[in-house]
Each structure stands twice: as structure tokens, then as C-alpha cells.
Amino acid sequence: METILGLSILVNLLCFSFVKSQNYNVLDFGAKGDGQTDDSYAFAKMWNATCGGEESIGKLVIPAGKTFLLQPRVFQGPCRSSSIHIQFDGVIVAPSNKEAWSIPKSQMWIGFSDVTGLAIVGSGTINGRGSSFWEQKVKVSERATALHFSRCDNLTINGITLIDSPKSHISIQVSKTVAISKINISSPESSPNTDGINVHGSTDVNIFDSTIQSGDDCIAISTGSVNINITRINCGPGHGISVGSLGEDGEKAEVSGVQVTHCTFNRTMNGARIKTWPGGEGYARDISFEDITLIDAKNPIIIDQNYIDKGRHGQTDSAVMISNITFVGFRGTSLTKDAMTLDCSPITHCKDVVMDGINITMAGGEKPTVNCQYVDGESSDINLMHDCFKGNTTA
Ligand SMILES: *[C@@H]1O[C@H](CO)[C@@H](O)[C@H](O)[C@H]1NC(C)=O
Ligand SMILES: *[C@@H]1O[C@H](CO)[C@@H](O)[C@H](O)[C@H]1NC(C)=O
Ligand SMILES: *[C@@H]1O[C@H](CO)[C@@H](O)[C@H](O)[C@H]1NC(C)=O
Ligand SMILES: *[C@@H]1O[C@H](CO)[C@@H](O)[C@H](O)[C@H]1NC(C)=O
Ligand SMILES: *[C@@H]1O[C@H](CO)[C@@H](O)[C@H](O)[C@H]1NC(C)=O
Ligand SMILES: *[C@@H]1O[C@H](CO)[C@@H](O)[C@H](O)[C@H]1NC(C)=O
Ligand SMILES: *[C@@H]1O[C@H](CO)[C@@H](O)[C@H](O)[C@H]1NC(C)=O
């Protein structure tokens, strides 16, 4: 037994010296973890030690049983180590209200930039304590995203919980190869602009096995995003899973390859949505929503090419081109009679739209309606074919 133990210690030592890995615990850098003391300085020191360290894998520990108060901060790369693993089991809280933020108008609370191979893994909770921002109706441009990543290739987020962000909970920008799984995002249905996850300008993003309850989109995908795979997400309350909005102020939008499968929309304001501003350019294509369960969702299927926010008016001489869009296997209940609205641009039309296996009923047993404008496509359902596609073909 002793020799086996000795041998395993030896093997461990060998492994450690080979991989050259060391755990940095934030408590060793002077963090108090009492939920009151500002631990930002300890986090910065820990980050510098890990990111600038000699190890090939920087390992950082934020232990369970402690609550760390953090002011807005960006953890900047590139790092010397080829990857950074954050074992996160504690709680991180934002300052208790807006007045206590060191940078009250900051766009992000916890940011990571230019860090390759970052993994944030564990049972930890990030609490943005955003209620004072919501109650004071602070402008969206002056509220922070809780967890922001830019240029973080090969990013992993697993297991963690995020609650009550002032604005979006997670934002992924200009990053390649991202896996987000088994996370839980939760904020009140009434909280403004609290998207679950925003994906912008990123490629090969997998989001799966997670629960998102919030006051805005569960997941929103914006321009520059390619090959986004969303699987087994429990969404609601919230505004559903959206591509867009795209093409604001004449922007050239480019989104392609979005697969949303095995998701549930439970009491959401919308379900599967694509929204574009009039006057935009570019495209949104190769997008599929498949195997979707609806529980009293409002507007479960929407394409809105006349999206106009805050009373502004776009020009109408161009539009983001929407093509190869699939809605297959939607079943459950809609709270609104207008369950399916495909309101496409007269300039571009929506092309190659497929709708199949749609079985949406209303709670009272009434049959919901489908409204289509300028949609070209097909369905094996003769009613849908008649209501949506027949009258609207280009020719
Ligand atoms: C961490 O490193 C950055 C960049 O070198 C430096 O500006 C900052 O003062 C360091 N912070 C701490 C707490 O050591
Ligand atoms: C991605 O990061 C993980 C650690 O998070 C690492 O094990 C893996 O080797 C990295 N992959 C690439 C292709 O860099
Ligand atoms: C998500 O987190 C919230 C807040 O902590 C909690 O109320 C909810 O039960 C969690 N949901 C899941 C599925 O773990
Ligand atoms: C999407 O992600 C799921 C879950 O990780 C995986 O099973 C599936 O193969 C992925 N699909 C694509 C097209 O990448
Ligand atoms: C739908 O949401 C309601 C209320 O939020 C909840 O009680 C119910 O369990 C959810 N249903 C499913 C299937 O998740
Ligand atoms: C249509 O989109 C799907 C993804 O939803 C993709 O797999 C397929 O290749 C696309 N078809 C064409 C003709 O581009
Ligand atoms: C549609 O769903 C209802 C309720 O779940 C079910 O009774 C009905 O058989 C389904 N219809 C089809 C054509 O699958």
C-alpha cells in the first residue's frame, strides 16, 4: 500500500514537473472573500502571476465557501501560458449598487481580452446585483455586461451560474472555438436588456445543456457570426433565441450557419426569431431551428424584416438578405394567435424557407394563424403551403 502511495506521489510529481502546472489560489494573494472587502487587487495580482507565469497551463482557484467583491476589471492577455484554467467554485459579487461601482458607466464588469485557451469551470456564481441599474432606468449604453470576452480563442465555460447582470450576462466577441455548457443564467423577467448570451463576430461556437431565464433574449446572435450551434437550451422567461437585430443604420450584416436544436421555449415573449432593420445590407443564411418544444410561448416563429426600435425609421431601399431558413419540428402551445409571422422584405424576399412538422396549438384549443409576406419556400403541410408560400412566390 505504502509503495503504491509513494509511487503515485512520484508519478504526480513527475506529471506536475512535465506539464509545469501550479495552482494559484486567490486567497494566497490576499483576497478576503468576505463579500464586503474589495478583492479586486488580489484578483489582479493573481491574474498577473498566472498570465505572466512560466507554467504551460496557468491554474487559478477561486474557492467555494467564499464571496469575493469585484469592481469592473479587464483581465488582459496574451498570456505566456498556452492556456488558463480557472477553477471557479466560489461566489463573485458586483458592488452592491450603481453608486458603489468604481466605473459606474463601464460597459463590462468582468472582462477577458486576448486570452487563448481560457477555461472557466466549476460550480461558482457570478452575481451582477443589477437591480439598482434597472430601477434607476439607467440607459443601456451605460450599463455593464457581467462577463465579457473579446478575442478569446478556444474558450470553455462550464457549470457556472450567472445572476442579475445590469445588462447582458455573457458576451462573446471576435472569438473562435467556444464551448459553453451546463450553465445557468437567471434574472427577473422584468429586468431590461438582460440578454443571456450575446454572440458577435465569432466562429464555431457551441452552446448546450443550459438554462436561461432573463428579461431579454436568451441567446442573441449578431453580425460576423459563423457556425453557431445551440443545443438543449431551456429558455424562459425571456425573449427567445434571436438572430439579430441586423442591419441597423445601413450596417452590412453577415451571419451564416446557425443551428438551434432540441430547445424549449417556456413562456417566452418570442421563440425562434430573425430580425433585421430596413435599410441594412448583407445576409443571414443557413439558419435552422429544429425540434423545438413550446410551452405557452408568444410568437414562437418570427422573421421580422421591418424591425424598428425606439421610433426610428430606416431607409427602405435595401435589406439584409435572408435565405435557407428551416423551421422543423415545433410542437406545443402558443399564447398568441399570431403564432407564426414571416414578415419579409419586398426588396429581397426571404428565400428557401422550409417549414415542416409544425404542430402549434393554442391553450384554448384554437388554431393559431400564420402570416407571411414575401416568403418563398415550401412545406409538406398543404395548409402551410397554402397560407404561407403559395401566394407569395417571386415568379
Ligand atoms: C498587472 O500587470 C499590469 C500590466 O503589466 C500592470 O499594469 C498592473 O499594475 C499589474 N497589477 C498588479 C496588481 O500587479
Ligand atoms: C484549448 O484549450 C484547452 C484548455 O482549455 C486545451 O486543453 C486545448 O489543448 C486547447 N486546444 C487548442 C487547439 O489550443
Ligand atoms: C438557476 O439559478 C437560479 C438562481 O440561483 C435558481 O433559482 C435556479 O433554480 C437555477 N436553475 C437551475 C436549472 O439550476
Ligand atoms: C452541436 O452541438 C451538439 C452538442 O455538443 C453536438 O452533439 C452536435 O454534433 C453539434 N452539431 C454541429 C453541427 O456542430
Ligand atoms: C415552465 O416554466 C414554469 C414557470 O416558470 C415552470 O413551473 C415549469 O416547470 C416549466 N416547465 C418546464 C417543462 O420546464
Ligand atoms: C442550408 O442550411 C443548412 C444549415 O441549416 C446547411 O446545412 C445547408 O448546407 C444549407 N444549404 C445550402 C444549399 O446552402
Ligand atoms: C399535435 O399536437 C397535439 C397536442 O400534443 C396532438 O394531440 C396531435 O396529435 C398532434 N398532431 C399531429 C399531426 O402530430
Side-chain angles (χ1 to χ4, degrees), residues 1 26 51 88 103 108 130 150 232 248 262 310 325 332 343:
M1 191 61 192
V26 72
C51 184
F88 172 43
I103 314 169
M108 60 187 95
S150 56
R232 293 184 299 274
E248 185 172 5
H262 309 294
K310 307 175 207 96
I325 311 296
D343 185 5

Side-chain angles (χ1 to χ4, degrees), residues 312-386:
R312 287 203 273 145
H313 295 278
Q315 319 124 343
T316 48
D317 50 359
S318 68
V320 176
M321 200 175 310
I322 293 183
S323 65
N324 187 18
I325 311 296
T326 303
F327 300 97
V328 171
F330 278 63
R331 58 193 170 271
T333 49
S334 172
L335 271 190
T336 47
K337 188 153 174 65
D338 294 336
M340 291 162 271
T341 303
L342 278 57
D343 185 5
C344 294
S345 161
I347 303 160
T348 53
H349 290 217
C350 292
K351 297 221 160 65
D352 301 317
V353 176
V354 176
M355 291 177 92
D356 261 318
I358 310 286
N359 184 2
I360 303 176
T361 52
M362 291 187 67
E366 232 180 318
K367 195 176 175 295
T369 57
V370 49
N371 300 301
C372 291
Q373 295 277 348
Y374 307 108
V375 185
D376 307 339
E378 60 184 57
S379 175
S380 59
D381 180 324
I382 47 167
N383 293 322
L384 267 178
M385 200 62 209
H386 177 263

Side-chain angles (χ1 to χ4, degrees), residues 213 234 236-237 264 266-267 293 295:
Q213 308 177 290
N234 237 310
T264 300
N266 186 353
R267 297 164 196 264
T293 303
I295 303 166

Side-chain angles (χ1 to χ4, degrees), residues 20-89:
K20 282 198 96 190
S21 154
Q22 185 190 333
N23 285 349
Y24 292 95
N25 189 318
V26 72
L27 295 174
D28 298 336
F29 290 84
K32 286 281 183 296
D34 60 8
Q36 305 291 326
T37 314
D38 179 1
D39 285 325
S40 304
Y41 186 68
F43 274 75
K45 277 199 293 186
M46 172 173 73
W47 179 256
N48 283 7
T50 318
C51 184
E54 299 287 332
E55 292 78 28
S56 57
I57 305 175
K59 284 195 181 169
L60 238 118
V61 176
I62 302 168
K66 297 277 177 190
T67 299
F68 302 94
L69 174 65
L70 266 194
Q71 290 286 352
R73 187 158 289 276
V74 176
F75 298 98
Q76 183 68 52
C79 297
R80 286 175 70 173
S81 40
S82 61
S83 62
I84 302 264
H85 182 103
I86 303 181
Q87 184 62 42
F88 172 43
D89 297 306

